[in-house]
Amino acid sequence: MESTNLLTGPLPPLWSQLTNLKTLDVGSSSATGPLPPEWSTMTALTSLTLDNNPSLSGSLPEQWSTLTDLVTLDASNNSLSGVLPTTWQSMVALTTMDLSRNTFTSTIPSSWGTGLSSMATMDVSYNILMCGVIPGGLAPDGSPVPGVSLLASILWESHPSGSLGSIPTAFSSITSLTSIELGGSTDLVGSLPSEWSLLTNLVVLEFSDSNASGTLPPAWSSLVALTSLTMSTNLLTGPLPPKWSTMTQLVTLLITDNTLTSSLPAEWSSLNSLTSLELGGNSNMCGSVPSSFIATTNTSGTGITCAGGVIVGINLVGIAPSGSLGSIPTAFSSITSLTSIELGGSTDIVGSLPSEWSLLTNLVVLEISDSNASGTLPPAWSSLVALTSLTMSTNLLTGPLPPEWSTMTQLVTLLVTDNTLTGSLPAEWSSLNSLTSLELGGNLLTSSIPGEWASGLPALSALNVTDNSYMCGLVPSSFIATTSTSGTAKSQMGNSPVLSSWIPNEDPCLNNWYGVTCAGGKVTRLSLPGVAAASGVTGSVPSVLGSLPILLSIELGGTSTLAGMLPPSWSLLTALSSLSLSNSSLRGSLPESRSTLTALKAIEMDSNSLLTYALPSKWSTLTGLESLSLSGNYLTNILPPSWSTMNALTLLDLSHNLLTSQLPASWDPSVGMTSMRSLDLSDNIYMCGSVSSDMAAVLDYNNTNIMKTCTNLNAANALLKIKDQLGDSPDLSSWVPGEDSCAGSWVGVLCSNGDVVSINIAGIKPATGLTAVFPSALTALSELTSLVVGGPAMEGPFPPEWSHLYDLKALTITGSSGTGPLPPSWSEMLSLTSLTLVGNTKLTGPLPYQWSGLSTLSSLTLSDNPKVDGAFPTSWSTLTKLTCLTVEGESKLTGSVPVSWSALTRLQCLTLSDQDELEGSLPIQWSTLTALTSLTMSNNSRLNGTLPRSWEKMSSLESLSVGGSDFEGTLPSQWSSITSLRSVIVSDAGKLEGTLPIQWSVLTSVSSLVLANNGALEGTLPSQWSTLVALSSIQLSDSSQLAGPLPVSWSALTSLVSVSLTNNPNMGGPLHSTWSSLVQLQYLDLSGGALTGSLPIPWSTFTSLTNLDLSSNSLSSTLPSLWSALQSLKALDLSSNSLKSHLPAS
């Protein structure tokens, strides 16, 4: 029985009945499972060949000792294991035995030395777990077993291509080992064996570039002889073991590019032989660095700056984006050479500020911001007299400002904003005569600005004490130009040239500052209407005015350069009687905190088109207010019934907004608002309902639905406003005023229970001469769940206000001319499950990292948006409900493929294609995406590296496409584990080399296989692929190193419809008549090869064939007349061959 290389499955025990069989060859096949003990009855066997079956496993059967006539046995290059049977000593006829390249253990049985008397050749090489000496009789000199080695290359040979090797625990028994060097392949998997702790003679241990997983074993603390330990580029997790502090002989410790957590153990400071420590690429590590450890190890690349052989700077800003918490390292106090410390940028940094840092008297820069530092500001830091910059903003600091810091006379900048500091401002700080910027805003400080500061801080140009609601008192007049009042007000408003008279260190009341009115030497009024920011600058509403509590009047606005939100600090202006901020670019909501300004008599904030949200009900406390004008904004929601207490109000203008519902009954002049003379609600088209005659007498309700019943009118009027913003589109002619939008006749509108829940206005065009913009008025449709917009006529930015469509579940914007960035505020759409943005050619800016908050999102498609730029947000790893993510088509997105997306374990489809700036390698960590059924990473020309073998774990994958990149290495044989695959595309893949994996023969569900244009692939077409019975299309063209004949066995691929093997000049041999079984073929291209012989007559069965190209080969003989049966043939090319006859007449 001779192998044909097509055998699969287990070796049949029933063959034991072939008791007269002398020769059996099942080598180089795909046999699996154990060797059958039942074959012990085949006692006539003289030759048995079982080599090259990668999945043949188990031990050698002791029962085979009955095969006493066996002369030759070859079981090499399999996955056999266990000990060699002592019973085989009875196989006295054996002259040749090859057991090499398996995973046998222990020694050669001593009984073989006397029993196997005919043995001439025995090969047990490349069984790396075998040891001992060759028994007498086999090697009389007692020499060691040949071929036993611990080199990594030998280990790979003991795990044939296509099978994974586990990390051998059994090494623990070889206690004489001084060196283990493994790794270099993702085929090596499993955890690090704790049992290796017995290898106390180890000096070198290396295990890199593999798929080792699990934690670092604390038990290895017994390996005290180690001088070099390398575990880089694996899948290791967990903390660094403190117990490894016993490895005092370690010189080099490298554990980069894993997913280790925690901080450096303080115990490791005992590793006093260490010269090189590399822990980079472990993004979850955080915490303090033991000072003695820093001083004695190589910390290059970790934010440590050295000069003159000593550490002078530590910059660890943002080192703890996730993982466990790290405390502020007290141990830095021992590094007295430090001139700079920069920490923070993460709320994982916790703990109090160390008083011990008072020893760092060389410090010039000290920053711990945007963290969770707590406790008080240490008075002991008064010794840090060299400091020029001290920043402690946005933490959890408490307690007073230390008067002792008055010694820091070199300080130029002191920032401690946004904490919860308390107490008064220290008069002693008047000695800080170098200070130019002092920011104390956002705390709970009390009292007033010390008078001593006015004369003692000559260099001060910016003082910010805003948002300290317990501060009071007057600002010294000499301070107005240089502090957080008028001077900073000039800066915040955009340094208008109109304010050139506002000169630092001058008294605004004595020097006639423009727009400033004083009384008794104090600023009481600011009148700056129309004061625009400097050219090219946008100003903001000056929050610093909150520190001028005796202001009576503020008049700003009249310019689009005044933007921003209304400052909460203005709630301190309790003397204010008049406020004017009209015709500007204010945005956001009307602050509830204005309810404290009970002295107000007039407010004007007209025509700020970005003012949104509801009217604050708490303004009902403004009972002295006489005039309120808020027209021309985007105010929404109902009128607050509580405002009925504003009995001094005579003029209220709320026209041209998006207010809804009815007038509150409490507003009726007979009940409340008894002084009302004029109420303007015109152009609030969503307002409706009847009013009393008293209210009608003072009311302007033009272009509203007041006096009409409130039945679906709000929705209808909202849609009419939308129609207006869409340029009065004639495509929406069915949207008619006065009709019910939910009656079924309004195009693109669907309703449920009287509410508009779905709108499709894609492709609409505005009326001639008008423009269609993305309608912000959609925010009035609070029940909307589905929105489809787009088309080339749709212009302008995507409205940030849509973030208030809280019930929206599906948003699609396609083919629009929308401009500007994607709104980060859309992260507030907390019901959104599907977001599709396709073909928006003018859209710019990055993908918002804030969208990581879209916790319900299951489908995200971002395609053909060519001007979108920036990196792929790693923060999107929190979108754990995503099942489909697509980013394809032209864009300007840059950076590497986010490893963090390995957390998106619900993904079923993932596409990242046609991204010319995407770079780096395919993440091996994505092996966690086991729910994927479709993965497309094609045409990303700058992607490189190898195809990840670890992706074999994507056990649900049906479609895989990774072509059009610059990959190297081989086609992973391990992908044979993905038996669900139906389509595989790895074409134009750069520098791929090696052979076509025979192991893929188990992918029996694959219907399409495209491996074209990979010029470095070599070897022959695998005959084993004849098992791919579902295959309908195969492309292996333009792979110039492929050679050999066409496989006869492929005649079994009877589902084939298309075959392209063109331009493979080394592919020769004959055309096989047996391929006539491929009767479904429609396309066959074998051109540009080295095929020889005649045209097979049986191919006349190809009656479905439409295209046949056999050109540019070396075919000869004649054209078979029976080919006239190929009636479907439309294209036939036989040129550039050696054919000898004309086409047959038939």
Side-chain angles (χ1 to χ4, degrees):
M1 183 178 293
E2 182 178 355
S3 171
T4 61
N5 296 324
L6 294 175
L7 293 174
T8 61
L11 298 175
L14 288 176
W15 285 7
S16 61
Q17 300 175 20
L18 304 175
T19 55
N20 294 316
L21 194 66
K22 294 181 180 291
T23 301
L24 175 57
D25 184 351
V26 286
S28 300
S29 297
S30 297
T32 62
L35 302 177
E38 293 85 350
W39 286 9
S40 60
T41 62
M42 302 168 70
T43 54
L45 275 176
T46 59
S47 176
L48 178 56
T49 303
L50 302 168
D51 65 314
N52 294 307
N53 287 279
S55 298
L56 206 57
S57 59
S59 59
L60 299 175
E62 293 183 359
Q63 295 87 337
W64 285 12
S65 60
T66 59
L67 306 181
T68 54
D69 289 343
L70 199 62
V71 176
T72 302
L73 172 61
D74 187 353
S76 62
N77 204 17
N78 295 304
S79 296
L80 299 171
S81 59
V83 300
L84 305 183
T86 57
T87 58
W88 280 21
Q89 63 180 329
S90 61
M91 302 169 74
V92 293
L94 266 179
T95 60
T96 302
M97 179 165 60
D98 190 349
L99 301 176
S100 63
R101 293 179 169 83
N102 283 283
T103 55
F104 294 119
T105 57
S106 75
T107 61
I108 298 175
S110 59
S111 60
W112 286 17
T114 56
L116 303 182
S117 54
S118 301
M119 186 66 68
T121 302
M122 181 172 70
D123 190 350
V124 292
S125 62
Y126 303 118
N127 284 280
I128 63 171
L129 300 183
M130 290 191 66
C131 55
V133 296
I134 298 175
L138 298 179
D141 59 351
S143 59
V145 176
V148 174
S149 171
L150 296 178
L151 294 175
S153 60
I154 303 301
L155 180 60
W156 302 155
E157 290 187 318
S158 72
H159 293 282
S161 177
S163 62
L164 296 178
S166 59
I167 302 169
T169 302
F171 280 1
S172 59
S173 63
I174 314 174
T175 55
S176 57
L177 278 174
T178 60
S179 171
I180 295 180
E181 297 176 65
L182 304 177
S185 171
T186 53
D187 289 341
L188 205 54
V189 300
S191 58
L192 301 177
S194 295
E195 293 85 346
W196 287 7
S197 59
L198 301 175
L199 303 177
T200 54
N201 291 307
L202 272 182
V203 176
V204 175
L205 175 52
E206 178 176 348
F207 198 112
S208 297
D209 302 299
S210 298
N211 269 336
S213 58
T215 59
L216 299 173
W220 286 9
S221 59
S222 62
L223 306 182
V224 294
L226 276 178
T227 61
S228 177
L229 176 56
T230 304
M231 297 283 155
S232 296
T233 316
N234 283 287
L235 304 175
L236 299 172
T237 59
L240 301 175
K243 290 186 177 181
W244 285 13
S245 60
T246 58
M247 299 179 181
T248 54
Q249 302 302 311
L250 265 184
V251 176
T252 302
L253 177 55
L254 312 177
I255 327 180
T256 59
D257 298 308
N258 286 280
T259 52
L260 299 173
T261 58
S262 81
S263 58
L264 280 171
E267 293 87 342
W268 282 19
S269 59
S270 63
L271 304 180
N272 47 26
S273 299
L274 205 59
T275 62
S276 180
L277 170 64
E278 295 191 21
L279 300 171
N282 291 283
S283 60
N284 290 334
M285 291 193 67
C286 63
S288 60
V289 181
S291 59
S292 57
F293 192 69
I294 293 177
T296 58
T297 60
N298 176 5
T299 55
S300 60
T302 62
I304 309 299
T305 304
C306 296
V310 297
I311 297 174
V312 297
I314 297 176
N315 185 337
L316 302 176
V317 173
I319 63 169
S322 62
S324 53
L325 301 179
S327 59
I328 300 172
T330 302
F332 283 176
S333 60
S334 63
I335 314 174
T336 55
S337 55
L338 278 173
T339 60
S340 141
I341 295 179
E342 297 174 69
L343 305 177
S346 170
T347 54
D348 290 338
I349 300 295
V350 300
S352 58
L353 303 177
S355 296
E356 293 85 346
W357 286 8
S358 60
L359 300 175
L360 303 177
T361 54
N362 290 306
L363 271 183
V364 176
V365 174
L366 175 52
E367 177 179 349
I368 306 180
S369 296
D370 302 297
S371 299
N372 271 335
S374 58
T376 60
L377 300 173
W381 285 9
S382 59
S383 61
L384 307 182
V385 295
L387 276 177
T388 62
S389 176
L390 176 56
T391 304
M392 297 284 152
S393 296
T394 316
N395 283 287
L396 304 175
L397 298 172
T398 58
L401 302 174
E404 294 85 350
W405 286 11
S406 60
T407 58
M408 300 179 181
T409 55
Q410 302 301 310
L411 266 183
V412 176
T413 302
L414 175 55
L415 312 177
V416 286
T417 57
D418 299 309
N419 288 282
T420 51
L421 299 171
T422 57
S424 60
L425 307 185
E428 292 86 346
W429 284 14
S430 61
S431 63
L432 304 179
N433 48 29
S434 299
L435 204 60
T436 63
S437 179
L438 175 57
E439 298 201 15
L440 306 171
N443 284 286
L444 300 173
L445 298 170
T446 58
S447 73
S448 60
I449 298 174
E452 292 87 345
W453 287 16
S455 57
L457 302 177
L460 196 64
S461 60
L463 170 60
N464 181 0
V465 292
T466 59
D467 296 315
N468 284 280
S469 57
Y470 302 117
M471 288 192 68
C472 57
L474 303 178
V475 178
S477 58
S478 61
F479 246 37
I480 298 250
T482 58
T483 70
S484 62
T485 56
S486 303
T488 307
K490 177 181 177 180
S491 173
Q492 289 181 336
M493 292 174 63
N495 289 310
S496 172
V498 176
L499 303 181
S500 59
S501 60
W502 290 27
I503 300 173
N505 298 316
E506 287 190 358
D507 189 323
C509 298
L510 297 177
N511 292 280
N512 297 316
W513 282 16
Y514 178 84
V516 176
T517 301
C518 298
K522 299 174 179 60
V523 175
T524 57
R525 299 179 184 274
L526 284 179
S527 181
L528 304 170
V531 174
S535 178
V537 177
T538 298
S540 61
V541 181
S543 60
V544 295
L545 295 183
S547 59
L548 296 175
I550 65 168
L551 269 179
L552 301 176
S553 174
I554 298 177
E555 185 179 2
L556 305 176
T559 171
S560 61
T561 64
L562 186 65
M565 302 179 71
L566 297 171
S569 61
W570 282 17
S571 60
L572 302 176
L573 301 177
T574 53
L576 198 65
S577 64
S578 176
L579 173 60
S580 178
L581 285 168
S582 297
N583 300 296
S584 299
S585 296
L586 301 184
R587 61 181 174 85
S589 61
L590 298 171
E592 295 272 2
S593 58
R594 291 295 181 279
S595 60
T596 62
L597 307 184
T598 54
L600 273 172
K601 296 184 178 298
I603 299 177
E604 294 182 7
M605 286 192 283
D606 303 301
S607 303
N608 288 282
S609 58
L610 295 179
L611 271 181
T612 58
Y613 309 105
L615 300 172
S617 60
K618 289 186 178 180
W619 283 18
S620 59
T621 60
L622 305 181
T623 54
L625 198 63
E626 298 173 358
S627 172
L628 174 58
S629 183
L630 297 170
S631 67
N633 293 296
Y634 273 98
L635 299 170
T636 60
N637 218 309
I638 64 173
L639 303 177
S642 61
W643 282 20
S644 60
T645 59
M646 295 180 174
N647 288 319
L649 202 59
T650 60
L651 172 64
L652 176 57
D653 189 350
L654 300 174
S655 62
H656 297 279
N657 281 286
L658 299 172
L659 299 169
T660 61
S661 193
Q662 308 178 60
L663 275 84
S666 60
W667 281 31
D668 193 280
S670 63
V671 179
M673 293 193 175
T674 53
S675 300
M676 184 65 66
R677 298 292 178 266
S678 175
L679 172 57
D680 192 346
L681 295 176
S682 62
D683 292 295
N684 283 279
I685 59 175
Y686 312 131
M687 293 202 67
C688 55
S690 60
V691 297
S692 70
S693 58
D694 289 339
M695 177 60 78
V698 298
L699 179 63
D700 183 347
Y701 55 93
N702 185 47
N703 197 25
T704 71
N705 282 287
I706 293 174
M707 299 299 186
K708 297 180 182 178
T709 304
C710 296
T711 55
N712 291 333
L713 287 176
N714 285 342
N717 288 322
L719 289 168
L720 292 173
K721 181 69 173 180
I722 292 166
K723 180 180 179 181
D724 182 61
Q725 292 179 327
L726 295 174
D728 196 21
S729 172
D731 299 321
L732 303 177
S733 58
S734 60
W735 293 18
V736 178
E739 293 189 1
D740 186 349
S741 58
C742 290
S745 60
W746 288 40
V747 170
V749 176
L750 292 177
C751 295
S752 176
N753 298 322
D755 295 316
V756 175
V757 295
S758 176
I759 295 178
N760 186 337
I761 47 177
I764 64 95
K765 298 177 182 178
T768 303
L770 298 179
T771 300
V773 298
F774 288 92
S776 57
L778 279 163
T779 55
L781 301 174
S782 59
E783 305 298 324
L784 198 65
T785 61
S786 175
L787 175 61
V788 180
V789 297
M794 194 81 77
E795 301 178 2
F798 290 178
E801 299 94 325
W802 286 4
S803 60
H804 302 299
L805 296 172
Y806 298 122
D807 289 340
L808 194 66
K809 290 180 170 58
L811 172 59
T812 300
I813 306 176
T814 59
S816 78
S817 298
T819 58
L822 296 169
S825 63
W826 285 6
S827 60
E828 299 173 24
M829 296 180 178
L830 297 182
S831 298
L832 201 65
T833 60
S834 174
L835 176 57
T836 301
L837 304 174
V838 176
N840 300 289
T841 57
K842 297 181 180 179
L843 202 62
T844 59
L847 301 177
Y849 70 88
Q850 295 92 337
W851 286 7
S852 59
L854 295 172
S855 57
T856 58
L857 199 64
S858 62
S859 176
L860 176 58
T861 301
L862 303 167
S863 301
D864 298 306
N865 301 299
K867 295 184 180 181
V868 171
D869 56 20
F872 288 88
T874 57
S875 63
W876 285 8
S877 60
T878 61
L879 301 177
T880 54
K881 291 190 178 179
L882 269 182
T883 58
C884 195
L885 172 58
T886 300
V887 183
E888 62 182 346
E890 184 184 358
S891 77
K892 293 183 179 179
L893 293 169
T894 60
S896 58
V897 182
V899 172
S900 63
W901 289 6
S902 60
L904 305 178
T905 54
R906 295 188 185 182
L907 275 179
Q908 297 176 22
C909 54
L910 173 58
T911 299
L912 291 179
S913 293
D914 304 297
Q915 303 301 311
D916 291 338
E917 301 299 321
L918 188 63
E919 58 189 9
S921 59
L922 299 175
I924 61 174
Q925 293 86 346
W926 282 14
S927 59
T928 58
L929 305 181
T930 54
L932 273 179
T933 60
S934 174
L935 175 57
T936 303
M937 301 284 292
S938 56
N939 300 319
N940 300 300
S941 58
R942 298 180 65 179
L943 279 184
N944 53 37
T946 58
L947 299 176
R949 300 176 182 181
S950 62
W951 286 10
E952 64 176 331
K953 297 177 182 177
M954 297 179 179
S955 54
S956 302
L957 203 60
E958 297 180 2
S959 175
L960 174 61
S961 178
V962 289
S965 296
D966 193 24
F967 299 124
E968 57 188 20
T970 60
L971 293 169
S973 59
Q974 293 80 3
W975 289 3
S976 60
S977 299
I978 315 174
T979 55
S980 55
L981 276 173
R982 299 180 183 274
S983 174
V984 180
I985 302 176
V986 193
S987 57
D988 298 293
K991 299 184 283 292
L992 281 182
E993 57 188 5
T995 59
L996 301 173
I998 62 173
Q999 293 83 359
W1000 287 14
S1001 60
V1002 301
L1003 301 178
T1004 54
S1005 296
V1006 168
S1007 61
S1008 177
L1009 183 57
V1010 181
L1011 303 173
N1013 299 310
N1014 294 300
L1017 289 178
E1018 58 188 6
T1020 60
L1021 301 179
S1023 60
Q1024 293 88 343
W1025 285 9
S1026 59
T1027 58
L1028 305 180
V1029 292
L1031 199 62
S1032 64
S1033 175
I1034 184 168
Q1035 295 184 38
L1036 281 165
S1037 57
D1038 299 285
S1039 298
S1040 58
Q1041 302 302 313
L1042 288 177
L1046 303 175
V1048 176
S1049 61
W1050 284 18
S1051 59
L1053 303 178
T1054 55
S1055 297
L1056 276 175
V1057 174
S1058 175
V1059 176
S1060 178
L1061 301 174
T1062 185
N1063 296 327
N1064 295 303
N1066 295 312
M1067 195 173 292
L1071 300 174
H1072 301 301
S1073 296
T1074 55
W1075 279 27
S1076 59
S1077 60
L1078 309 180
V1079 295
Q1080 296 192 56
L1081 269 180
Q1082 298 178 21
Y1083 182 93
L1084 177 59
D1085 189 348
L1086 303 176
S1087 61
L1091 299 171
T1092 59
S1094 60
L1095 302 178
I1097 295 173
W1099 283 18
S1100 58
T1101 59
F1102 292 167
T1103 55
S1104 298
L1105 200 65
T1106 60
N1107 293 75
L1108 175 60
D1109 192 345
L1110 301 174
S1111 62
S1112 301
N1113 283 286
S1114 298
L1115 298 170
S1116 57
S1117 77
T1118 61
L1119 184 63
S1121 60
L1122 290 179
W1123 280 22
S1124 59
L1126 307 182
Q1127 296 297 312
S1128 299
L1129 203 61
K1130 297 180 180 179
L1132 172 64
D1133 191 346
L1134 303 173
S1135 61
S1136 300
N1137 280 289
S1138 300
L1139 299 174
K1140 300 177 181 178
S1141 67
H1142 298 292
L1143 292 171
S1146 59

